[in-house]
Amino acid sequence: MADTLRFSPSAGWDEVRQLLGREMQLLVAIAGVFFLLPGLALSFLLPPIEDISSLASIMAAIQPYLPLIILVSLVQMVGQLAIWTLVMASDRPTVGEAIKAALLFLPFYFLINILTNLIVGAGLVLFIIPGLYLACRLAPVGAIAINESIRNPLTAIQRSFQVTKSNALPIFAFLLIVGIVFLLISVAVSFVFGTIFAISGLEMAPGGTGTALLAVITGIVSAAGTTIFALMQVAIYRQLTGAGTPEVFA
């Protein structure tokens, strides 16, 4: 395979839209179960953090809820793995088969994810630019690992650096543009629906009806964003390995 291809953000987005159009029903089902519901559970059960003046105060506030946060993260990882399996496997698995494959691969991806976050985090602590560079070079590591059945975290990271060689800048542009768009959408949705609920007389205080409804709506937007960013990893991987879109989707 040609691992030195140039990544095109516009072609990458075309691939994401193609996958969304062809697999919308299955992706909605996975996103609802593995992204939306766990996210809502976390938003309803995690109390508002009042003191955000320091990292220590934030950690102290969320410490009692760390098991829940970790559980939600694991469930969302299963969703990501299921999406990658579903859209990349050549044998056209069912949703159930994709979820089963995701569960079996979860322990390996968990370790890959931890090591990847440590590497990117170290880059951000040393200086922001190295961290962003590392994040771009490691962007498709999850899709690479499950598609190529790489269970060793170091091997997966090495493979990601090989695949994304000389493509950090276009990958950064791809992630940045889509990230900004979804940030603006999230802010707009939160503002518009928050205003509508407040005008309608719904309670917008913590625990209120308006707040709960707003959490559901913003949770849907967040689940959609998580799904799209998972598909973006697929687009990056396919372009830079010349894999293309499997005929199974035709």
Side-chain angles (χ1 to χ4, degrees):
M1 293 185 295
D3 291 339
T4 56
L5 299 175
R6 293 293 296 172
F7 177 72
S8 167
S10 61
W13 180 247
D14 287 341
E15 174 113 19
V16 171
R17 290 194 300 110
Q18 185 181 32
L19 290 170
L20 281 172
R22 290 171 172 171
E23 302 294 339
M24 179 62 74
Q25 290 185 338
L26 299 180
L27 291 172
V28 167
I30 293 175
V33 173
F34 292 97
F35 301 150
L36 177 58
L37 293 181
L40 289 177
L42 192 61
S43 65
F44 288 139
L45 296 176
L46 192 66
I49 300 176
E50 299 178 356
D51 184 6
I52 57 173
S53 59
S54 66
L55 180 60
S57 62
I58 295 175
M59 292 302 299
I62 67 173
Q63 186 174 4
Y65 301 90
L66 280 179
L68 175 63
I69 294 173
I70 294 173
L71 177 61
V72 168
S73 297
L74 290 174
V75 172
Q76 292 180 338
M77 285 182 192
V78 172
Q80 289 178 315
L81 291 167
I83 287 175
W84 293 328
T85 301
L86 186 69
V87 302
M88 291 194 297
S90 59
D91 56 352
R92 185 59 174 176
T94 64
V95 172
E97 291 170 341
I99 293 173
K100 180 180 178 180
L103 288 170
L104 293 174
F105 200 80
L106 179 61
F108 307 105
Y109 179 59
F110 179 72
L111 295 176
I112 292 170
N113 192 62
I114 288 178
L115 186 55
T116 299
N117 287 333
L118 287 175
I119 292 173
V120 174
L124 292 172
V125 169
L126 293 174
F127 196 66
I128 294 177
I129 293 178
L132 295 176
Y133 172 79
L134 290 169
C136 293
R137 296 296 302 274
L138 294 170
V141 67
I144 290 171
I146 194 164
N147 190 61
E148 300 184 7
S149 299
I150 301 175
R151 290 170 169 77
N152 186 314
L154 294 177
T155 304
I157 289 171
Q158 182 182 23
R159 174 63 176 153
S160 184
F161 273 102
Q162 179 187 10
V163 167
T164 59
K165 182 179 180 181
S166 303
N167 280 282
L169 187 58
I171 291 173
F172 175 74
F174 185 46
L175 299 175
L176 179 64
I177 292 170
V178 178
I180 290 176
V181 170
F182 267 94
L183 176 61
L184 294 176
I185 291 174
S186 298
V187 172
V189 167
S190 181
F191 175 76
V192 170
F193 282 94
T195 302
I196 291 174
F197 294 154
I199 293 175
S200 301
L202 297 176
E203 179 61 50
M204 298 304 294
T209 304
T211 303
L213 289 174
L214 185 60
V216 172
I217 293 172
T218 55
I220 293 173
V221 175
S222 177
T226 303
T227 302
I228 287 176
F229 274 93
L231 295 178
M232 289 168 67
Q233 291 199 35
V234 176
I236 293 170
Y237 171 70
R238 282 185 176 163
Q239 267 200 55
L240 296 181
T241 58
T245 304
E247 292 298 322
V248 72
F249 296 120

